Amino acid sequence: MSEVVLILFRIVFILIFALTFVPILVLLERKISAFIQDRPGPNRTNIGGIRLGGVVQSLADALKLMIKEDFTPSSIRSKVLFTIAPMILFLMSLMTIAVIPFSDYFTLDGVQYLMQAIPFDGGMLWYLGMASLSIYGIMLAGYSSNNKYSLLGSLRAASGAISYEIPLGLAVVSMMITYGSIHLNDFVHYQQGSIFGLPSWGIFIQPLAGVIFIVCAFAETNRAPFDLAEGESEIVAGYHLEYSAMSFAMFFMAEYIAMVAMSALIITLFFGGYALPYLSTADLLEHYQVILVAMACLTTLFGIGFVRWIGKNNVTRYKTNNDLRKRENKFYTIATFAVVAVVDLVCAFLYFNGLESFGKEVLVTLLYLGIFTLKTFVMLFVFIWVRWTIPRFRYDQIQRLGWEKLMPLAILNIIITAVVVIYGN
């Protein structure tokens, strides 16, 4: 029974992790772009005066897409292909994240279980395969739409995928040579040590591979400045021009889920994954009391930061007597610090009463989940930051960068890595 619960937990966690980030990223996209452009962003949409710092705007958008008519043009080439195209893209985007480990092995009754939704040892190969298949959704959407802009968008997406999947894969090869494995969990274990006083993260060991991979990640997820597949100034909306309502929403969610999966993979390859620098799982299990103290302190700091953020987002320049935002701020303050107090009391209770081996495993797993989420969040912030900072490249510039710059550098990096590994041993 415990094994079944563990399996369900792994699947449910990764689904919730990927899908919950979608509305959060919609809000972050607007808030970060507003911050960069020196404006407040969405903070007026409300339900009975409750704004949730702008989150209600994302809920309103989701509701709008759900109740809109899902219109299918009569001029499309194939209704079947037109219908399944967004499903393929959405499913492939969701499958890519299923093999990324979000915690170390969980030991239950003496048996170690991989903490990833699909316990497949060749996780890196699975990821590359699923990510490559996602282009079929874009191609089918462009072809079946029978629209020149949609077709151009899908062709540009395919050419971009071919141009950047090769250097991305070559960067991964150099990391496989470095780590001596194709198992993503082995990648994380390797990065728990240190090198020259620095964490032995992939970004420090293989900085060139890290830069190549991250640049290719932007192109693979169709994010600016590499969004050649949906350059609205050139080809309107690209491959999803003819889609509306929930069909469009599936393309929309697939892009954000692909961002989440790629961010999770980047931190797994180059930033230590779910682990803390210099500390192994055995170290954390031995000194679990420090984790409890750290959790209590960080929860308190997060609560203070959340209350300040909500208060700032609910500020209004034109105050009225019946403005509900002051009342809302008080509610958030009370609710947040009530949760913080409960977490702190639980941590104090566990600290003074001790934990058995199973409790220690659960505590370390929760810590790893938090670290994994935080690192992924930071990488997603970088995705959005770049999106609203660097203008879109021309199509020829994108192709030249992929074939003439990144490809030779990736091949050179593999040669150097192989020589260092062979003669270094």
Side-chain angles (χ1 to χ4, degrees):
M1 184 62 184
S2 300
E3 182 180 351
V4 174
V5 171
L6 187 60
I7 293 172
L8 290 175
F9 169 76
R10 292 182 300 183
I11 297 172
V12 170
F13 172 79
I14 209 67
L15 286 174
I16 294 175
F17 180 81
L19 296 176
T20 303
F21 257 115
V22 173
I24 295 174
L25 283 173
V26 173
L27 178 65
L28 284 178
E29 190 91 57
R30 288 170 165 162
K31 285 294 185 180
I32 293 172
S33 65
F35 175 76
I36 292 173
Q37 298 169 358
D38 193 23
R39 54 187 178 84
N43 65 351
R44 292 295 185 269
T45 307
N46 63 88
I47 300 175
I50 303 299
R51 291 165 174 79
L52 296 175
V55 175
V56 177
Q57 181 67 54
S58 299
L59 299 178
D61 291 337
L63 180 63
K64 176 190 70 175
L65 289 171
M66 285 189 291
I67 64 177
K68 281 184 69 175
E69 179 187 3
D70 196 348
F71 179 75
T72 302
S74 59
S75 59
I76 60 175
R77 294 183 186 273
S78 170
K79 187 172 183 179
V80 174
L81 297 180
F82 187 85
T83 303
I84 67 172
M87 300 178 188
I88 292 174
L89 186 61
F90 179 81
L91 181 61
M92 293 301 105
S93 299
L94 200 57
M95 292 294 284
T96 52
I97 200 173
V99 291
I100 298 178
F102 50 84
S103 179
D104 204 353
Y105 290 101
F106 191 92
T107 305
L108 188 65
D109 298 330
V111 180
Q112 289 187 327
Y113 295 92
L114 277 171
M115 294 304 286
Q116 54 196 56
I118 299 177
F120 179 59
D121 290 337
M124 195 65 249
L125 300 180
W126 173 283
Y127 186 97
L128 293 175
M130 292 295 109
S132 300
L133 289 174
S134 63
I135 194 64
Y136 282 98
I138 295 176
M139 290 298 297
L140 290 176
Y143 169 77
S144 62
S145 293
N146 196 22
N147 179 295
K148 61 182 180 180
Y149 294 116
S150 299
L151 183 60
L152 283 173
S154 61
L155 290 175
R156 287 170 57 158
S159 64
I162 294 171
S163 301
Y164 284 89
E165 273 185 1
I166 298 175
L168 182 141
L170 293 175
V172 170
V173 169
S174 64
M175 300 311 298
M176 290 178 180
I177 295 173
T178 302
Y179 296 139
S181 174
I182 61 173
H183 197 324
L184 290 172
N185 209 49
D186 293 341
F187 291 9
V188 179
H189 285 170
Y190 186 96
Q191 298 175 80
Q192 290 178 346
S194 62
I195 178 171
F196 304 119
L198 294 171
S200 55
W201 286 356
I203 195 65
F204 298 129
I205 299 173
Q206 289 274 12
L208 180 57
V211 171
I212 293 172
F213 190 93
I214 292 172
V215 171
C216 292
F218 279 92
E220 285 293 296
T221 52
N222 287 323
R223 293 288 295 180
F226 299 97
D227 59 339
L228 71 169
E230 36 184 294
E232 62 268 13
S233 60
E234 305 158 14
I235 52 175
V236 195
Y239 60 90
H240 55 64
L241 175 62
E242 299 286 0
Y243 286 87
S244 61
M246 284 306 297
S247 298
F248 167 77
M250 292 188 75
F251 281 118
F252 188 73
M253 291 189 293
E255 178 181 330
Y256 280 117
I257 292 172
M259 278 176 57
V260 174
M262 189 61 78
S263 298
L265 183 62
I266 289 172
I267 67 165
T268 301
L269 288 174
F270 300 104
F271 296 98
Y274 55 77
L276 285 170
Y278 309 112
L279 296 173
S280 65
T281 303
D283 296 330
L284 295 174
L285 290 172
E286 183 179 356
H287 304 287
Y288 72 93
Q289 295 94 340
V290 179
I291 300 176
L292 292 171
V293 175
M295 287 178 66
C297 295
L298 290 175
T299 303
T300 304
L301 292 175
F302 176 80
I304 295 172
F306 178 75
V307 169
R308 288 174 60 87
W309 177 75
I310 285 290
K312 184 178 179 180
N313 276 275
N314 277 342
V315 148
T316 177
R317 184 179 301 174
Y318 308 103
K319 297 183 178 180
T320 59
N321 294 328
N322 58 351
D323 191 351
L324 297 176
R325 271 170 279 196
K326 290 184 178 179
R327 188 186 308 171
E328 187 180 358
N329 289 345
K330 290 181 181 179
F331 169 77
Y332 289 136
T333 302
I334 296 171
T336 301
F337 285 113
V339 172
V340 169
V342 171
V343 173
D344 290 349
L345 288 173
V346 170
C347 290
F349 175 80
L350 295 176
Y351 181 90
F352 290 109
N353 289 273
L355 286 171
E356 300 295 332
S357 59
F358 179 78
K360 294 177 184 178
E361 288 273 355
V362 172
L363 180 64
V364 172
T365 300
L366 291 176
L367 175 66
Y368 281 152
L369 296 182
I371 296 169
F372 180 77
T373 303
L374 179 62
K375 287 184 178 180
T376 304
F377 182 85
V378 172
M379 196 62 226
L380 288 168
F381 173 81
V382 174
F383 267 85
I384 299 172
W385 183 12
V386 172
R387 162 69 179 84
W388 293 98
T389 305
I390 302 177
R392 180 184 296 113
F393 298 154
R394 291 199 316 265
Y395 179 76
D396 61 303
Q397 292 174 326
I398 293 175
Q399 296 289 27
R400 189 176 297 113
L401 175 64
W403 290 106
E404 297 183 8
K405 303 295 191 301
L406 298 183
M407 176 81 75
L409 286 174
I411 295 173
L412 177 63
N413 190 59
I414 289 178
I415 296 171
I416 295 173
T417 302
V419 171
V420 170
V421 168
I422 291 172
Y423 290 99
N425 289 336

